[in-house]
Amino acid sequence: MAKVISIVNPKGGTGKSACTANLAVGLAQKNMKVLIVDADPQSDVSAGFGYRDCDESNETLTALMDTVMKDEDIPSDCYIRHQAEGIDIILQIIVLIETVRKSL
């Protein structure tokens, strides 16, 4: 059975990204499947795993949400990046906020 762990705090500088990355590595080291969904507009978790220029990618959480809102088919495994550490991640780019605003 899957478990969802959310690390959320509206205030910046509280260590959400560092906690997420460290928790993910710890769980992966215990042979657990880990998927990080980076919803932070600053995309610090994505950057921490080496994805610093995600704005160029069309396979991000923003693009995934846009695809879902347009009711388009989602290719299997398309938006998930696989890490050597055994961690999977869905990247983020800064335009997520604008995508969410459009849906409201």
Side-chain angles (χ1 to χ4, degrees), residues 16-33:
K16 298 178 295 284
S17 298
C19 181
T20 299
N22 287 312
L23 181 60
V25 170
L27 292 172
Q29 287 175 342
K30 293 185 176 278
N31 295 319
M32 299 177 111
K33 290 184 177 184

Side-chain angles (χ1 to χ4, degrees), residues 73-87:
D73 290 334
I74 301 169
S76 63
D77 206 33
C78 182
Y79 293 89
I80 299 174
R81 305 288 172 97
H82 305 284
Q83 301 296 303
E85 297 90 351
I87 298 167

Side-chain angles (χ1 to χ4, degrees), residues 35-81:
L35 172 65
I36 296 174
V37 179
D38 187 358
D40 183 0
Q42 293 177 323
S43 63
D44 287 337
V45 174
S46 296
F49 283 95
Y51 298 103
R52 301 197 184 283
D53 296 316
C54 300
D55 290 345
E56 305 295 319
S57 176
N58 63 348
E59 293 187 355
T60 63
L61 179 59
T62 303
L64 177 60
M65 289 176 65
D66 193 48
T67 300
V68 169
M69 288 189 305
K70 291 178 181 174
D71 202 25
E72 298 174 353
D73 290 334
I74 301 169
S76 63
D77 206 33
C78 182
Y79 293 89
I80 299 174
R81 305 288 172 97

